[in-house]
């Protein structure tokens, strides 16, 4: 197998807007994708990458919170019985939501880059993104209320 036909060879892939092939499945797999820079394409690609990195950062934060809740991380006091009983289910919930954030961010990134390559990108958030964001927000608020209420009961 020659070096140029090796699937992991890092030579750039020039994407044709008329091509129907998926840009992330084009060989070599780990090569940069080249798009023609007309109008504001470079700015849009950078914005898409920043959006993905924001979802990645949220996913990492949620995973850290998941681990902290699961091990009942307390600095000054021992966890109460209800906190110990709720630690594993709430930790698992945050772990699943962490993976949902990561999957949503990656899927949105791939979909947008594919549409950029075909010159049909429309920058907007879809219903999947809104659902994931709503579920994550509700879970964070619910856990905050739960922890505050158990802390208030513990002080009485």
């Amino acid at each position: 197998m020659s070096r140029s036909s090796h699937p992991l060879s890092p030579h750039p892939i020039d994407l044709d807007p008329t091509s129907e092939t998926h840009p992330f499945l084009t060989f070599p797999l780990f090569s940069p994708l080249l798009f023609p820079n007309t109008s504001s394409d470079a700015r849009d690609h950078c914005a898409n990458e920043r959006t993905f990195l924001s979802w990645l950062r949220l996913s990492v934060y949620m995973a850290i919170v998941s681990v902290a809740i699961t091990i009942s991380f307390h600095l000054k006091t021992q966890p109460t019985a209800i906190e110990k009983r709720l630690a594993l289910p709430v930790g698992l919930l945050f772990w699943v939501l962490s993976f949902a954030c990561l999957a949503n961010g990656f899927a949105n990134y791939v979909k947008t880059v594919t549409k950029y390559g075909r010159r049909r990108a429309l920058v907007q958030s879809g219903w999947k993104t809104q659902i994931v964001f709503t579920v994550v927000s509700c879970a964070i608020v619910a856990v905050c209320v739960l922890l505050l209420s158990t802390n208030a009961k513990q002080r009485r």
Side-chain angles (χ1 to χ4, degrees):
M1 184 178 283
S2 70
R3 181 164 172 78
S4 62
S5 64
H6 191 272
L8 300 178
S9 176
H11 69 278
I13 299 170
D14 192 11
L15 294 175
D16 180 22
T18 61
S19 173
E20 289 298 321
T21 61
H22 198 280
F24 286 94
L25 300 177
T26 307
F27 285 103
L29 294 176
F30 299 110
S31 294
L33 302 173
L34 298 179
F35 297 96
N37 187 18
T38 58
S39 65
S40 61
D41 289 344
R43 180 195 68 204
D44 295 342
H45 283 291
C46 289
N48 190 34
E49 288 177 358
R50 284 192 305 271
T51 302
F52 169 70
L53 292 174
S54 295
W55 279 104
L56 178 64
R57 184 177 55 233
L58 178 61
S59 175
V60 169
Y61 288 158
M62 300 264 309
I64 291 169
V65 168
S66 167
V67 171
I69 289 173
T70 303
I71 62 173
S72 299
F73 190 73
H74 289 269
L75 294 175
K76 295 183 180 181
T77 61
Q78 292 296 322
T80 63
I82 192 167
E83 287 173 338
K84 286 182 181 178
R85 193 173 57 226
L86 290 176
L88 184 62
V90 173
L92 287 175
L93 172 71
F94 272 78
W95 190 255
V96 168
L97 291 176
S98 171
F99 279 111
C101 288
L102 183 61
N104 186 45
F106 184 71
N108 193 20
Y109 177 76
V110 168
K111 179 183 77 170
T112 306
V113 167
T114 302
K115 287 186 177 184
Y116 281 153
R118 295 184 181 135
R119 313 290 294 153
R120 289 183 282 186
L122 177 61
V123 181
Q124 66 181 11
S125 63
W127 63 271
K128 293 176 202 169
T129 302
Q130 296 297 330
I131 288 175
V132 169
F133 191 73
T134 302
V135 169
V136 167
S137 301
C138 290
I140 291 171
V141 169
V143 168
C144 287
V145 168
L146 178 70
L147 294 177
L148 288 173
S149 66
T150 57
N151 192 19
K153 287 181 183 178
Q154 184 180 5
R155 287 185 180 179
R156 287 184 186 172

